[in-house]
Amino acid sequence: MSGPSLRRRRRRAPRDPEATMTLVAHLTELRNRVAKALLALALGTVVGFLWYDHGLLTFLSEPYCSLPADLRFQGDESCSLVVLDVFGGVLLRLKIGLIAGAVLSSPFWLWQLWAFITPGLKRNEKRYAITFVAVSTTLFALGAVLAYVTLYKGLELLLELAGDEVAFQLTAPDYLGFVISLLVAFGLSFELPLIAVALNLVGVLSHAALARSRRWIFFLTIVFAAFVTPTQDPFTMLAMALPMVVLFELAIQVARFVDRRRARREAVQHFHDVPDDEASPLDARPSDLDAAPTRREDLLPGAAPADTSRR
């Protein structure tokens, strides 16, 4: 074997079969995970900054520009947002780029988060990493899409409440901040049921606790939607609350399946852990033959077995 390969093998850290780590090792791993997540966020921010002038700003402005002309200050087909200070445009572009970068890089930093948690899990629980990242990304995207679909109706309702004699000339920071907050609020709210499933997988939250709290969960979901939605209108609130209720019910059913599977696995493990000098749970059950009395003539060689059915 060559010298460089030997040096590489010597530098490789030995595996820890017990999956035990010191506090310093945990902090070192946390630092490395955070550094990788921040690097991915920085790269995503650069992509979002460049994407700003190539479709992203048009995509975010479309709900406002699709409103009837009498609700906008121009009163015609033109549509523009106003910036009132010199540095407002630069700061706005950086803010939108940062948020877009966080969304674009979310699969990577979610993977880093799960990779930091998995050393504390059992080996058969670590295989949920890819599923966790895929489902969380999908739920966030579904929440953002739902927010974008409902944004037009919510915005139209809010602007019409001001009266027929009022036309709006929205500033770019206010409007885009409103849109981004709505998209992020919907996306993050759809992650809450997944957090409940993750806590169930690590054994912190049981299905029994979720089932007992079902009514409170649904009630608090509606209250949460009422406070989190920036538009504060009933249409947007219900658009957030109803899918969340469905997702929480799905999370409760997933927790039921996980707890049943865990209980069966623990029962099998307990059966295999019985010492050799003790009777297994199956052997400990009494038999009908053990309870039947035995006659002396039944023990003689060549004797016919006793007929226990007459007794």
Side-chain angles (χ1 to χ4, degrees):
M1 187 176 294
S2 60
S5 61
L6 280 174
R7 285 194 296 271
R8 283 196 298 269
R9 292 192 63 180
R10 290 171 183 171
R11 286 197 298 266
R12 185 178 299 170
R15 294 184 178 180
D16 186 2
E18 299 294 332
T20 57
M21 297 176 64
T22 62
L23 177 61
V24 176
H26 275 294
L27 294 177
T28 302
E29 184 184 5
L30 178 61
R31 180 198 62 190
N32 296 335
R33 300 290 182 189
V34 171
K36 293 178 181 179
L38 291 178
L39 179 59
L41 177 61
L43 295 177
T45 302
V46 172
V47 174
F49 188 85
L50 298 176
W51 184 23
Y52 183 83
D53 279 338
H54 296 81
L56 180 58
L57 182 59
T58 303
F59 173 77
L60 295 176
S61 304
E62 182 62 26
Y64 171 67
C65 295
S66 299
L67 292 174
D70 57 348
L71 292 178
R72 290 184 276 111
F73 180 76
Q74 291 88 346
D76 52 23
E77 297 299 327
S78 61
C79 179
S80 61
L81 299 172
V82 179
V83 177
L84 300 179
D85 59 281
V86 176
F87 295 100
V90 177
L91 296 177
L92 178 64
R93 183 166 184 164
L94 288 174
K95 178 182 178 180
I96 300 300
L98 177 62
I99 297 175
V103 174
L104 294 175
S105 61
S106 59
F108 186 82
W109 55 260
L110 283 173
W111 175 271
Q112 296 299 321
L113 173 64
W114 188 261
F116 179 73
I117 297 175
T118 49
L121 302 180
K122 299 178 181 179
R123 179 176 300 178
N124 59 347
E125 294 173 336
K126 295 181 180 180
R127 66 178 182 269
Y128 296 113
I130 298 178
T131 304
F132 171 80
V133 174
V135 173
S136 60
T137 305
T138 303
L139 288 177
F140 186 92
L142 289 176
V145 169
L146 181 61
Y148 189 82
V149 170
T150 59
L151 177 61
Y152 173 81
K153 287 295 182 182
L155 191 62
E156 183 180 17
L157 176 62
L158 290 177
L159 297 185
E160 286 179 347
L161 290 176
D164 297 334
E165 303 301 324
V166 177
F168 288 87
Q169 178 66 61
L170 301 181
T171 62
D174 291 339
Y175 169 74
L176 294 179
F178 165 77
V179 173
I180 292 297
S181 63
L182 185 65
L183 298 179
V184 173
F186 267 73
L188 292 180
S189 64
F190 276 38
E191 302 285 346
L192 295 179
L194 182 62
I195 295 176
V197 173
L199 292 176
N200 176 259
L201 288 175
V202 299
V204 176
L205 191 61
S206 65
H207 165 260
L210 287 172
R212 287 195 305 266
S213 307
R214 179 184 275 109
R215 294 182 180 179
W216 278 105
I217 291 175
F218 294 166
F219 172 74
L220 293 177
T221 298
I222 298 175
V223 175
F224 172 82
F227 280 97
V228 170
T229 50
T231 58
Q232 301 294 323
D233 63 283
F235 179 78
T236 307
M237 183 195 71
L238 291 177
M240 174 186 284
L242 294 181
M244 285 185 65
V245 168
V246 175
L247 290 175
F248 268 117
E249 181 60 32
L250 181 61
I252 293 174
Q253 299 307 318
V254 171
R256 178 198 298 271
F257 172 77
V258 171
D259 283 1
R260 286 182 176 179
R261 188 174 182 181
R262 183 183 291 125
R264 288 195 299 266
R265 185 169 60 247
E266 290 177 354
V268 173
Q269 184 66 27
H270 175 71
F271 173 76
H272 289 291
D273 289 342
V274 175
D276 296 337
D277 56 348
E278 293 184 9
S280 65
L282 295 179
D283 296 336
R285 292 184 301 179
S287 174
D288 295 337
L289 295 178
D290 297 334
T294 304
R295 298 180 302 177
R296 291 184 58 186
E297 54 267 30
D298 293 338
L299 301 177
L300 296 177
D307 186 3
T308 59
S309 61
R310 298 178 180 178
R311 299 175 184 176

